[in-house]
């Protein structure tokens, strides 16, 4: 490792700062390789994954040699000790503080702990500091990193939503309304944001605006995907209509004994996957004599998280003691375990310091529980093992690109390999995403062919297509198929 002090900024245009001065970086392929190594800092990136990031499926025969040349040039620019050769590829050594993406995820994780312990004001300050690290869209022109960009953008939006929710609880509803309006325009399908806007408007004495927000939301969802708003949004609408007094009283503290319900919202629309849902049912439902784990493995963007969350939301009633969720991408299992223990009723100041004692306490607290744990984006079995509950009626769903052979061998986990969407399901998803007009059947065929059955690729392409035809600066309603028969049925 070199003695130089590096700072890497990836939450916007990629920038490298060495000893306080910006390092010129112009070669596109070298930037792509550096970006890939930074997003997987201190983990080995195989040459195959680097080739995919650079050429996105159209690599030349000389790709291996060109990657080696690019790494050699990066070493000359950054110093010989920063990038190591480690079979089957390369590894970039960096401290968490030297990469803004790692600082962001660490701050968000710490803010959750503060919020869970009732320190909402401190949590908001930390989230605002984390969000201030963003200065643009990461890797905007790098096709091979589009899945990473989608994951990073989702993390940013979740952090912003959480921050705004806490600020509403702190009584700052007047101040957050402009930011919520902008966020609704940016992400019109996110119902949590629309609910926050309705609540803030209501608490600010703008009841008519809150009701109009709901009607605009309902109309937009019906026009775009043929679905009614979800139950949480409908319930809030009914509460506003009835002027329920509880809406005006933000919770002063987290109630003791609350059942953890940490599942993120589902990704809609959801189509197909009947066989995979049946496999999850077979593996995880029923009164088994031991905890059961299902690993959903597959390529990036193929819909592993979408499938896991769809199944988990459908089975909430089967797990009355709660649902725990963790995004394991770059996460420390110890920090996740702390969060799980607090969610299960453990005050932060009583948690043991010894990692083995924490695992034992976690398994004790889950020994008689009917609990669902969703572990998303696991890198390896070692990341998962400390987070497996001990109760016979607990169930775990793990998503991972890696097949996690160790977890299957050592824990007897079930496993399902998730293939790309079949052409018929991909066509259905494309139709729901873009509608019938102005795009037409030809546009749907093009999207399906270009995505090769990868749902995330299809969603991103559909979003770009629709954005080119957007007509409203606020909600972007474009003509689309109305009243599909999918109403009320989340479709992946």
């Amino acid at each position: 490792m070199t003695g130089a002090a590096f700072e890497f900024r990836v939450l916007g245009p990629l920038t490298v700062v060495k000893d306080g001065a910006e390092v010129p970086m112009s070669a596109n392929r070298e930037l792509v390789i550096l970006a890939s190594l930074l997003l997987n800092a201190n983990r080995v990136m195989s040459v195959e994954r680097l080739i995919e990031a650079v050429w996105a499926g159209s690599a030349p025969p000389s790709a291996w040699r060109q990657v080696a040349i690019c790494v050699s040039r990066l070493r000359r620019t950054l110093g010989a000790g920063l990038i190591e050769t480690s079979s089957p590829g390369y590894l970039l050594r960096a401290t968490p503080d030297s990469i803004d993406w790692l600082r962001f995820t660490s701050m968000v994780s710490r803010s959750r702990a503060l919020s869970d312990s009732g320190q909402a004001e401190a949590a908001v300050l930390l989230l605002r500091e984390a969000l201030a690290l963003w200065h643009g869209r990461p890797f905007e022109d790098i096709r091979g990193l589009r899945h990473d960009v989608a994951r990073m953008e989702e993390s940013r939006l979740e952090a912003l939503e959480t921050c705004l929710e806490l600020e509403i609880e702190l009584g700052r509803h007047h101040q957050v309304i402009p930011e919520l309006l902008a966020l609704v325009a940016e992400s019109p399908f996110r119902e949590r944001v629309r609910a926050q806007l309705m609540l803030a408007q209501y608490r600010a004495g703008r009841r008519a605006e809150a009701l109009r927000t709901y009607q605009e939301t309902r109309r937009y969802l019906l026009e775009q995907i043929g679905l009614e708003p979800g139950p949480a949004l409908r319930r809030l609408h009914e509460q506003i209509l009835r002027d329920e007094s509880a809406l005006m009283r933000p919770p002063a503290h987290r109630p003791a004994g609350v059942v953890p319900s940490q599942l993120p919202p589902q990704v809609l629309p959801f189509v197909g996957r009947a066989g995979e849902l049946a496999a999850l049912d077979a593996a995880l439902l029923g009164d088994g004599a031991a905890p059961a784990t299902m690993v959903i493995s597959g390529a990036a963007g193929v819909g592993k998280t979408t499938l896991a969350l769809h199944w988990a939301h459908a089975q909430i009633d089967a797990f009355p003691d709660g649902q725990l969720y963790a995004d394991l991408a770059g996460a420390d299992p110890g920090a996740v375990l702390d969060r799980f223990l607090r969610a299960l009723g453990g005050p932060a100041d009583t948690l043991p310091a010894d990692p083995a004692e924490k695992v034992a306490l976690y398994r004790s607290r889950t020994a008689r529980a009917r609990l669902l744990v969703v572990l998303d984006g696991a890198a390896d079995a070692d990341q998962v093992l400390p987070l497996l509950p001990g109760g016979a009626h607990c169930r775990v769903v793990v998503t991972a690109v890696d097949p996690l052979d160790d977890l299957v061998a050592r824990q007897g986990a079930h496993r399902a390999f998730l293939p790309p969407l079949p052409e018929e399901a991909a066509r259905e998803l494309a139709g729901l995403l873009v509608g019938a007009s102005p795009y037409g059947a030809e546009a749907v065929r093009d999207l399906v062919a270009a995505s090769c059955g990868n749902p995330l690729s299809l969603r991103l392409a559909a979003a770009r297509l629709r954005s080119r035809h957007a007509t409203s600066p606020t909600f972007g309603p474009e003509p689309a198929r109305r009243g599909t028969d999918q109403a009320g049925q989340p479709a992946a």
Side-chain angles (χ1 to χ4, degrees):
M1 183 83 183
T2 68
F6 281 95
E7 181 184 356
F8 300 97
R9 300 168 187 166
V10 299
L11 301 181
L14 196 158
T15 305
V16 179
V17 177
K18 180 179 180 181
D19 293 331
E22 185 172 337
V23 178
M25 303 290 293
S26 57
N28 186 56
R29 289 175 185 168
E30 292 167 24
L31 282 174
V32 176
I33 290 173
L34 178 59
S36 301
L37 293 171
L38 286 170
L39 291 181
N40 295 273
N42 304 310
R43 292 191 295 178
V44 176
M45 277 285 287
S46 68
V47 175
E48 287 86 351
R49 289 181 64 189
L50 292 173
I51 289 173
E52 176 61 25
V54 174
W55 285 280
S58 57
S62 62
W64 278 66
R65 182 170 58 83
Q66 292 190 47
V67 166
I69 292 171
C70 289
V71 171
S72 177
R73 288 173 178 165
L74 284 171
R75 284 169 170 163
R76 285 200 297 272
T77 301
L78 303 176
L82 194 67
I83 301 176
E84 303 175 5
T85 300
S86 182
S87 180
Y90 301 96
L91 178 148
L92 185 144
R93 295 282 184 194
T95 62
D97 286 343
S98 66
I99 303 175
D100 56 0
W101 166 242
L102 296 183
R103 293 205 305 276
F104 171 80
T105 55
S106 173
M107 288 179 181
V108 170
S109 178
R110 283 155 45 205
S111 75
R112 290 195 196 103
L114 290 169
S115 177
D116 288 346
S117 61
Q119 302 178 65
E121 183 68 58
V124 166
L125 291 173
L126 194 56
L127 284 169
R128 287 295 179 186
E129 184 181 351
L131 291 163
L133 295 173
W134 289 75
H135 52 283
R137 182 174 172 81
F139 318 127
E140 196 160 14
D141 299 323
I142 302 178
R143 284 173 48 218
L145 295 180
R146 59 189 182 278
H147 302 311
D148 297 282
V149 170
R151 173 171 59 88
M152 295 168 73
E153 182 63 17
E154 179 64 21
S155 297
R156 180 188 72 84
L157 288 172
E158 286 186 0
L160 181 53
E161 288 172 358
T162 300
C163 183
L164 292 168
E165 190 168 284
L166 289 171
E167 290 186 291
I168 292 172
E169 290 180 4
L170 290 168
R172 300 171 188 165
H173 32 268
H174 289 281
Q175 295 94 315
V176 301
I177 287 175
E179 195 168 3
L180 283 166
L181 287 167
L183 190 53
V184 165
E186 177 186 352
S187 304
F189 284 105
R190 298 180 81 90
E191 292 192 22
R192 181 186 181 190
V193 178
R194 291 181 181 267
Q196 290 173 342
L197 176 57
M198 288 170 60
L199 182 59
Q201 288 171 327
Y202 183 79
R203 288 185 178 169
R206 295 152 64 171
R207 181 175 181 267
E209 289 184 27
L211 293 172
R212 185 167 62 246
T213 295
Y214 177 81
Q215 293 303 329
E216 290 172 339
T217 297
R218 182 174 182 270
R219 182 171 60 251
Y220 182 77
L221 293 176
L222 285 171
E223 287 177 345
Q224 300 306 310
I225 57 176
L227 293 176
E228 291 279 352
L233 209 56
R234 294 199 303 270
R235 186 163 54 250
L236 177 59
H237 177 238
E238 292 167 0
Q239 289 177 300
I240 292 174
L241 285 173
R242 292 194 297 265
D243 282 317
E244 290 190 7
S245 58
L247 289 178
M248 296 303 294
R249 295 198 300 269
H253 58 84
R254 183 180 176 183
V258 67
V259 174
S261 301
Q262 299 180 348
L263 296 178
Q266 297 185 62
V267 180
L268 297 175
F270 182 97
V271 301
R273 303 303 194 194
E276 289 83 357
L277 290 169
L280 282 161
D281 287 346
L284 301 180
L285 295 184
D287 293 323
T293 299
M294 169 65 90
V295 176
I296 303 174
S297 178
V302 79
K304 302 181 295 295
T305 302
T306 299
L307 173 64
L309 291 179
H310 180 76
W311 184 87
H313 277 279
Q315 303 301 333
I316 280 178
D317 290 343
F319 303 99
D321 295 314
Q323 307 85 43
L324 299 175
Y325 172 87
D327 180 357
L328 296 185
D332 172 26
V336 175
L337 188 57
D338 285 352
R339 183 155 53 87
F340 281 3
L341 284 169
R342 286 191 294 270
L344 293 169
D349 55 359
T350 65
L351 297 183
D354 181 71
E357 289 183 27
K358 286 182 185 178
V359 172
L361 178 60
Y362 172 59
R363 290 177 180 161
S364 296
R365 287 185 178 164
T366 58
R368 293 173 178 81
R370 289 185 176 272
L371 185 74
L372 175 64
V373 181
V374 179
L375 304 174
D376 195 17
D380 52 42
D382 289 339
Q383 210 179 17
V384 173
L385 287 170
L387 304 175
L388 296 179
H393 301 295
C394 294
R395 300 292 182 261
V396 181
V397 180
V398 183
T399 71
V401 173
D402 189 279
L404 301 187
D405 292 332
D406 284 355
L407 194 66
V408 174
R410 292 158 63 183
Q411 296 293 318
H414 305 275
R415 180 168 56 195
F417 292 98
L418 193 62
L421 279 175
E423 183 175 352
E424 183 177 351
R427 212 165 34 241
E428 180 184 356
L429 178 59
L432 289 169
L433 290 171
V434 305
S437 174
Y439 315 103
E442 184 178 352
V444 170
R445 284 196 302 272
D446 291 343
L447 287 177
V448 171
S451 70
C452 299
N454 185 293
L456 181 56
S457 296
L458 199 157
R459 290 178 188 277
L460 290 170
R464 287 193 293 269
L465 178 63
R466 286 177 40 222
S467 69
R468 290 200 296 269
H469 294 273
T471 58
S472 166
T474 303
F475 295 105
E478 307 119 35
R481 181 169 58 194
R482 295 173 178 267
T484 72
D485 59 4
Q486 298 290 318
Q489 174 61 48

